[in-house]
């Protein structure tokens, strides 16, 4: 068995021809190879949705759980088995809609995992309903009079909660996507990368040309340690959409607060301790 | 006069008056000087005010259920006098502060002793030690020693406050208004004082559980509290999740990643967990879930007891997958069953649900220390037969596929909530679906060999057989003892006293049937005893065996069952 991620074949996919998911999958494989990770070192977690099938298509460990619930098992797996490089790779509905509460609180928890969100601003697998990032007024199969809800800006949400790594990429810019993915995985703590991606089947608004005319890279002079600057730039959305790493600062992670995780062996390697148990029992005498 | 074999002390007041500390000190003291103790807690869902009370039974033999009446009452407010004087024994005593305005019902009652509790407490250093003054007076009235209380107080309070309490205790002893005999002391050594939730937590520790995630919900929270206190010494990570959905999904993730993992909640939280319960079933990831029941639906009685979740948990989550549901009968049983739950979850790669309730969770009892020496932690990973790739869901004869921990070189552990093939890859093939469904359900056949038959209690020459499950076992033990004594009471020749026995079920799903079917033949009558309004266990028995209970004793007022309550109804006819 090959010891590279690409060594595990993608046997088939359930994605539409031309879908941005292919580019994201290819970038992810390239990133993991570039980081020199072996397949058994990596755990890719997804929920439910078209993007959430990504863990199935990459030759690493894979956990495809429930819709919206990709973050909780991912952080728990990382906490007990920290040798794993844990990547959540799933969609905007999964991450920001059904999983919204976990999104909020896992930014606060700051476990060392990486969250790649395929953000196509639509629900693909269920054939074209509004997602949390769908534009106000956009007509869909369900939002027949145009979406009445304001779209969520996930980058601003993450920044407001103190997320240590906030980035946006675009699936059609592979070199930048790979560069951002690499930096996100290297970041110690929870890292969010919102990846813009057309849905060629169900989003007739946010198409390749739509994104192509709007996206541009953040200037090299952007200071990724300046949270206010990050807010300002992340607020830009419309005729021009900046891509890049908005914010990147080191912060204490969850295990830094707990001697059990900080100083001890990985929990997965801890054997039973009958003496500790006996001592605990005696405390009830 | 003969010394009593047991006494009941009730301490009542409003939330925030320190009754829990006072009770904890009292029961620890009684346990350490050699009594068997049994303490129930009746509290309201509030932080201050209202009426709460704790009842501590102590005696010369093991105790199983609360008593309706009390022999002594410490009343920290007028409401306690009003509500509990009626159930005070004829020779009982009630201690209350002299400044409390007594209800009319207490006027002229010689059992009521108005003592300068607050005044004495203030003189001892703090008016907040009023209860401790009363405790000193009570212990002295019962001729019980005060020695040994100082270290117990030191374990509950900061040094300065503990010291004031010791003074208050001694000053209180000087106020003892009467003398009553306490039960004789027995062997003072080697027993522990523990409640049901602590026993579950100890069981998790004994099983080598390394991860517990939960969202606070009464009456399950004390499992999380206990384990959180043992994080470093017990090497267990306790994480308060953002909601119950996260809690169970985290536990599934931790288990997938290689450790024993558990979550706990009460019925409302369990409602939120059911989709992920199915996830554990589909992914075949071992999982232990404790549902510590309280009366529902929804918020119900947050701090009270019921066995209303049975039918729900045996079928919770859509679709079909094997599971084991074990009800907890006593703290010792809770410890042992929690250890067993982890073992069977690993052995069969299934979710195991532990069903407790508020009565078991909050009731502290004196018991022999749990046996920890015989516990073997076997993860049952199995031996993979691999020629390439890793078949997470290898189709085996017994349906149990060998497991691997992700991170193992050369192995890809792929799990998917979609129907999958042997490698964990998504499939929509009809053949795969049938093969995987059969593989999962085949595990039930193996599980049958590990089911525990119910415990038989009572007279082998019974003609009435009671059926009970979970924590109802303990009051039934008391009821059977009472009924056995009454059997010897003189009756008319035409009315021979019935003889009673009981089957106390621990495993409730799959329902073990052998013992039930063989014992049933002898019974003239089958009586269901449980704490819900519809007789859920009786329905489960009927569904699986066709046996119909002739009578149901159902209690659903949120208050614990007692042996008295059961025996009275069995002897007295319809309730």
């Amino acid at each position: 068995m090959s010891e590279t991620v690409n060594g595990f074949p993608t046997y088939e996919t359930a994605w539409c021809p031309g879908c941005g998911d292919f580019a994201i999958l290819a970038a992810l494989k390239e990133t993991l190879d570039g980081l020199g990770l072996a397949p058994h070192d990596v755990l890719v977690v997804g929920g439910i949705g078209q993007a959430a099938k990504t863990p199935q298509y990459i030759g690493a460990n894979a956990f495809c759980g429930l819709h919206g619930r990709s973050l909780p098992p991912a952080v728990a797996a990382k906490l007990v088995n920290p040798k794993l490089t844990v990547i959540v790779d799933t969609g905007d509905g999964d991450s920001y809609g059904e999983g919204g509460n976990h999104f909020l609180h896992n930014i606060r928890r700051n476990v060392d995992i990486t969250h790649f969100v395929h953000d196509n601003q639509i629900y693909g697998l269920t054939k074209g309903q509004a997602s949390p990032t769908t534009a106000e007024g956009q007509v869909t199969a369900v939002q027949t009079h145009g979406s009445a809800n304001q779209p969520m800006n996930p980058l601003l949400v993450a920044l407001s909660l103190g997320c240590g790594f906030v980035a946006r990429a675009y699936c059609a810019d592979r070199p930048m996507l790979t560069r951002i993915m690499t930096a996100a995985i290297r970041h110690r703590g929870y890292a969010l990368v919102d990846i813009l991606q057309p849905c060629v089947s169900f989003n007739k608004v946010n198409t390749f040309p739509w994104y192509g005319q709007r996206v541009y890279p953040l200037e090299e002079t952007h200071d990724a340690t300046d949270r206010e600057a990050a807010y300002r730039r992340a607020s830009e959305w419309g005729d021009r959409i900046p891509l890049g790493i908005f914010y990147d600062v080191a912060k204490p992670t969850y295990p830094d607060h707990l001697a059990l995780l900080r100083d001890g062996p990985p929990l997965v390697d801890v054997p039973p301790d009958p003496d500790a148990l006996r001592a605990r029992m005696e405390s009830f005498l | 006069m003969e010394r009593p074999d047991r006494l009941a002390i009730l301490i009542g007041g409003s939330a925030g008056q320190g009754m829990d500390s006072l009770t904890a000190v009292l029961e620890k003291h009684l346990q350490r000087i050699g009594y068997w103790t049994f303490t129930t807690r009746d509290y309201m869902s509030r932080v201050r005010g209202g009426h709460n009370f704790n009842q501590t039974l102590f005696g010369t033999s093991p105790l199983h259920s609360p008593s309706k009446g009390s022999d002594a009452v410490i009343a920290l407010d007028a409401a306690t006098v009003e509500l509990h004087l009626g159930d005070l024994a004829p020779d009982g005593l009630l201690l209350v502060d002299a400044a409390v305005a007594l209800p009319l019902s207490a006027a002229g009652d010689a059992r009521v002793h108005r003592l300068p509790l607050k005044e004495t407490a203030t003189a001892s250093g703090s008016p907040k030690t009023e209860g401790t003054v009363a405790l000193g007076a009570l212990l002295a009235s019962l001729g019980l020693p005060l020695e040994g209380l100082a270290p117990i107080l030191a374990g509950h309070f900061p040094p300065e406050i503990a010291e004031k309490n010791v003074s208050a205790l001694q000053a209180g002893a000087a106020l003892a208004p009467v003398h009553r005999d306490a039960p004789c002391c027995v062997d003072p050594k080697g027993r522990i004082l523990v409640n049901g939730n602590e026993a579950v937590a100890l069981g998790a520790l004994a099983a080598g559980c390394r991860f517990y995630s939960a969202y606070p919900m009464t009456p399950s929270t004390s499992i999380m509290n206990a384990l959180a206190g043992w994080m470093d010494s017990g090497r267990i990570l306790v994480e308060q999740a953002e909601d119950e959905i996260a809690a169970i999904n985290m536990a599934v993730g931790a288990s997938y990643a290689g450790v024993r993992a558990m979550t706990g909640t009460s019925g409302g939280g369990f409602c939120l967990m059911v989709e992920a319960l199915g996830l554990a079933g589909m992914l075949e990831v071992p999982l232990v879930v404790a549902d510590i029941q309280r009366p529902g639906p929804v918020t119900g009685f947050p701090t009270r007891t019921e066995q209303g979740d049975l039918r729900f948990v045996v079928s919770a989550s859509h679709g079909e997958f094997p599971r084991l549901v074990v009800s907890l009968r006593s703290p010792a049983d809770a410890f042992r069953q929690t250890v067993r739950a982890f073992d069977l979850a690993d052995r069969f790669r299934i979710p195991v649900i532990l069903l407790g309730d508020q009565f078991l969770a909050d009731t502290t009892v004196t018991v022999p220390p749990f046996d920890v020496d015989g516990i073997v932690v076997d993860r049952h990973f199995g031996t993979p037969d691999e020629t390439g790739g890793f078949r997470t869901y290898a189709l085996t004869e017994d349906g149990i596929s060998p497991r691997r921990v992700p991170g193992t070189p050369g192995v890809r552990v792929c799990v998917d909530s979609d129907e999958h093939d042997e490698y964990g890859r998504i499939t929509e093939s009809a053949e795969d679906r049938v093969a995987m469904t059969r593989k999962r359900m085949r595990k039930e056949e193996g599980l049958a060999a590990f089911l525990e038959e119910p415990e038989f209690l009572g007279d082998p020459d019974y003609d009435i057989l009671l059926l009970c499950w979970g924590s109802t076992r303990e009051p039934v033990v008391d009821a059977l003892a009472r009924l056995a004594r009454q059997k010897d009471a003189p009756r008319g020749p035409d009315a021979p006293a019935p003889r009673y026995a009981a089957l106390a079920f621990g495993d409730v799903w799959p329902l073990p049937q052998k013992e039930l079917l063989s014992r049933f033949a002898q019974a003239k009558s089958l009586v269901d005893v449980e704490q819900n309004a519809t007789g859920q266990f009786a329905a489960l028995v009927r569904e699986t065996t066709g046996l119909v209970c002739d009578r149901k004793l159902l209690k659903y007022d949120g208050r614990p069952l007692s042996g008295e309550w059961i025996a009275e109804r069995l002897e007295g006819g319809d309730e």
Side-chain angles (χ1 to χ4, degrees):
Chain A
M1 183 185 305
S2 167
E3 279 295 296
T4 68
V5 174
N6 284 322
F8 286 87
T10 298
Y11 65 101
E12 67 167 340
T13 78
W15 292 334
C16 312
C19 179
D21 285 337
F22 290 107
I24 299 172
L25 174 63
L28 180 57
K29 288 183 172 188
E30 195 178 316
T31 299
L32 295 174
D33 271 343
L35 286 166
L37 292 164
H40 70 263
D41 292 330
V42 178
L43 168 60
V44 187
V45 181
I48 297 297
Q50 284 294 78
K53 289 173 180 164
T54 305
Q56 282 272 331
Y57 305 148
I58 193 162
N61 295 296
F63 184 108
C64 298
L66 300 175
H67 186 50
R69 317 301 170 199
S70 49
L71 285 169
V75 297
K78 179 69 182 178
L79 289 172
V80 303
N81 195 343
K83 293 165 292 186
L84 294 171
T85 295
V86 178
I87 293 161
V88 173
D89 192 297
T90 191
D92 48 333
D94 204 59
S95 298
Y96 306 140
E98 188 101 3
N101 201 30
H102 312 307
F103 176 57
L104 300 183
H105 294 285
N106 282 298
I107 293 171
R108 295 178 50 232
R109 203 170 261 126
N110 201 26
V111 174
D112 187 12
I113 65 165
T114 312
H115 191 178
F116 296 137
V117 183
H118 300 219
D119 186 356
N120 58 9
Q121 301 176 257
I122 205 77
Y123 279 50
L125 183 56
T126 50
K127 302 189 193 293
Q129 301 79 22
S131 93
T133 52
T134 299
E136 199 170 342
Q138 185 167 328
V139 174
T140 79
V142 170
Q143 286 72 29
T144 49
H145 300 272
S147 173
N149 297 347
Q150 299 175 54
M152 168 178 174
N153 182 326
L155 306 191
L156 291 179
V157 173
L159 285 166
S160 72
L161 287 162
C163 184
F165 187 102
V166 181
R168 182 190 288 131
Y170 175 43
C171 70
D173 187 342
R174 269 278 288 287
M176 190 201 282
L177 176 57
T178 307
R179 183 174 62 79
I180 291 176
M181 280 182 157
T182 304
I185 292 172
R186 284 201 173 124
H187 175 80
R188 190 171 170 277
Y190 171 87
L192 173 69
V193 184
D194 188 65
I195 305 168
L196 300 177
Q197 170 211 358
C199 173
V200 293
S201 296
F202 296 107
N203 191 334
K204 302 303 182 195
V205 176
N206 309 111
T207 57
F208 277 106
W210 189 92
Y211 285 117
Q213 287 156 15
R214 286 167 174 79
V215 296
Y216 73 99
L218 280 173
E219 304 74 25
E220 280 182 16
T221 52
H222 172 72
D223 179 0
T225 64
D226 181 343
R227 195 164 163 194
E228 275 186 36
Y231 270 113
R232 234 177 5 257
R233 301 310 299 276
S235 302
E236 278 183 50
W237 182 271
D239 291 341
R240 284 175 56 78
I241 301 172
L243 305 175
I245 300 169
F246 293 77
Y247 193 60
D248 183 5
V249 294
K251 311 184 71 161
T253 65
Y254 182 99
D256 293 334
H257 299 287
L258 289 174
L260 172 68
L261 302 177
R262 193 185 55 224
D263 306 332
L267 289 173
V268 72
D269 296 332
V270 175
D273 183 354
D275 292 335
L277 176 63
R278 242 171 249 120
R280 177 56 54 207
M281 198 67 76
E282 276 164 21
S283 71
F284 284 84
L285 283 170
Chain B
M1 215 173 101
E2 203 179 316
R3 288 161 77 99
D5 60 8
R6 68 168 69 173
L7 288 179
I9 297 172
L10 185 142
I11 302 176
S14 58
Q17 283 193 301
M19 278 162 309
D20 278 335
S21 296
L22 200 61
T23 302
V25 168
L26 168 68
E27 62 177 342
K28 194 79 200 165
H29 184 54
L30 293 168
Q31 174 231 340
R32 286 200 177 157
I33 61 182
Y35 292 113
W36 297 88
T37 67
F38 184 95
T39 301
T40 46
R41 286 165 173 80
D42 187 297
Y43 58 104
M44 299 172 72
S45 181
R46 56 195 290 173
V47 179
R48 288 281 182 275
H51 175 67
N52 295 354
F53 65 92
N54 301 329
Q55 187 196 50
T56 299
L57 272 71
F58 67 104
T60 53
S61 55
L63 299 158
H64 302 280
S65 74
S67 161
K68 190 176 172 221
S70 293
D71 301 288
V73 173
I74 292 176
L76 297 175
D77 62 3
T80 304
V81 182
E82 184 150 9
L83 291 165
H84 300 286
L85 188 59
D87 288 329
L88 184 64
D91 62 343
L93 68 156
L94 182 149
L95 309 183
V96 62
D97 183 56
V100 168
L102 289 184
L104 279 177
S105 56
D109 191 320
R111 300 170 300 171
V112 176
H113 301 275
R114 308 182 72 189
L115 304 176
L117 301 176
K118 195 146 250 168
E119 197 185 311
T120 309
T122 307
S124 304
S126 166
K128 287 186 176 171
T129 62
E130 178 189 355
T132 312
V133 172
L135 182 62
L138 178 64
L139 291 172
S141 297
L142 297 172
L144 294 170
L146 300 185
E147 292 84 44
L149 273 163
I152 296 172
L153 287 164
H156 275 271
F157 301 108
E160 195 196 336
I161 295 170
E163 216 166 283
K164 284 176 184 166
N165 275 281
V166 172
S167 308
L169 205 59
Q170 277 150 359
L175 301 175
V178 290
H179 176 74
R180 296 278 186 275
D181 281 332
C184 293
C185 277
V186 286
D187 174 22
K189 289 279 177 273
R191 289 194 286 265
I192 61 172
L193 183 68
V194 71
N195 68 33
N197 277 2
E198 288 166 340
V200 169
L202 281 166
L205 207 61
C209 176
R210 299 273 166 248
F211 187 86
Y212 186 90
S213 46
Y215 187 83
M217 185 170 188
T218 305
S220 68
T221 314
S222 52
I223 300 174
M224 176 161 57
N225 290 347
L227 290 172
W230 309 338
M231 265 173 67
D232 293 326
S233 63
R235 299 234 155 246
I236 177 170
L237 177 60
V238 178
E239 175 61 358
Q240 181 181 324
E242 55 270 25
D243 52 40
E244 286 87 349
I245 296 172
I248 187 168
N249 278 281
M250 288 179 95
V252 172
S255 177
Y256 161 81
V259 301
R260 283 189 164 173
M262 177 175 177
T263 182
T265 184
S266 190
F270 193 85
C271 288
L272 296 181
M273 290 184 175
V274 297
E275 189 188 20
L277 183 78
L279 180 69
M282 185 64 153
L283 301 189
E284 302 190 55
V285 167
L287 180 70
V288 177
V289 185
D291 172 14
I292 310 301
Q293 301 162 95
R294 73 190 212 191
V298 291
T299 315
F301 263 164
T303 61
R304 305 194 183 277
T305 200
E306 195 161 284
Q307 297 180 297
D309 297 356
L310 177 67
R311 297 295 309 239
F312 171 47
V313 302
V314 302
S315 60
S317 208
H318 64 290
E320 297 161 303
F321 57 93
R323 77 188 79 195
L324 173 65
V325 182
V326 181
S327 66
L328 308 176
R329 290 168 285 198
S330 67
D333 191 54
F335 173 78
R336 188 182 67 79
Q337 297 287 24
T338 304
V339 175
R340 177 172 168 256
F342 277 100
D343 183 70
L344 293 177
D346 268 351
R347 186 183 286 272
F348 290 99
R349 296 181 61 170
I350 53 168
V352 179
I353 301 160
L354 297 172
L355 264 182
D357 54 51
Q358 185 269 332
F359 170 59
L360 177 70
D362 290 332
T363 299
T364 38
V365 293
T366 301
V367 290
F370 305 141
D371 180 17
V372 299
D373 291 327
I375 294 169
V376 177
V377 175
D378 183 346
R379 300 299 313 280
H380 304 291
F381 279 116
T383 312
D385 167 26
E386 283 313 311
T387 47
F390 180 65
R391 291 181 299 147
T392 314
Y393 300 103
L395 293 168
T396 57
E397 213 168 294
D398 58 9
I400 304 166
S401 315
R403 289 178 73 206
R404 276 296 169 268
V405 174
T408 307
V411 172
R412 179 195 190 211
V413 186
C414 178
V415 297
D416 201 303
S417 66
D418 283 88
E419 190 57 274
H420 38 254
D421 63 15
E422 287 189 284
Y423 294 90
R425 293 177 304 207
I426 295 180
T427 177
E428 301 216 11
S429 133
E431 290 76 19
D432 282 342
R433 169 66 180 174
V434 171
M436 279 297 150
T437 302
R438 284 187 180 157
K439 166 194 143 50
R440 286 189 291 269
M441 296 317 292
R442 237 178 358 252
K443 296 192 286 186
E444 273 195 345
E445 295 163 22
L447 184 59
F450 286 84
L451 288 184
E452 287 187 359
E453 292 294 325
E455 183 185 2
F456 178 80
L457 303 163
D459 191 335
D461 296 321
Y462 61 92
D463 31 42
I464 295 177
L465 184 63
L466 312 182
L467 300 184
C468 65
W469 61 281
S471 74
T472 300
R473 183 238 184 221
E474 291 291 281
V476 164
V477 166
D478 254 2
L480 291 173
R482 282 169 182 275
L483 293 163
R485 284 197 294 272
Q486 285 166 20
K487 170 178 69 114
D488 303 326
R491 294 179 187 230
D494 302 331
R499 292 165 183 271
Y500 293 91
L503 289 176
F505 284 77
D507 290 1
V508 288
W509 189 265
L511 187 76
Q513 300 180 26
K514 283 184 213 130
E515 184 78 359
L516 174 60
L517 293 174
S518 77
R519 296 277 182 185
F520 166 74
Q522 185 186 323
K524 293 198 185 97
S525 167
L526 207 53
V527 180
D528 172 49
V529 185
E530 56 183 315
Q531 284 202 271
N532 55 56
T534 54
Q536 296 186 23
F537 185 71
L540 205 61
V541 165
R542 183 171 186 171
E543 174 190 316
T544 47
T545 66
L547 298 182
V548 180
C549 289
D550 302 289
R551 195 177 164 199
K552 293 178 204 164
L553 297 187
L554 305 174
K555 190 168 192 288
Y556 42 90
D557 60 1
R559 272 67 181 175
L561 266 174
S562 68
E564 277 161 294
W565 189 94
I566 298 166
E568 277 167 15
R569 273 151 191 80
L570 286 171
E571 293 289 85
D574 288 335
E575 54 285 343

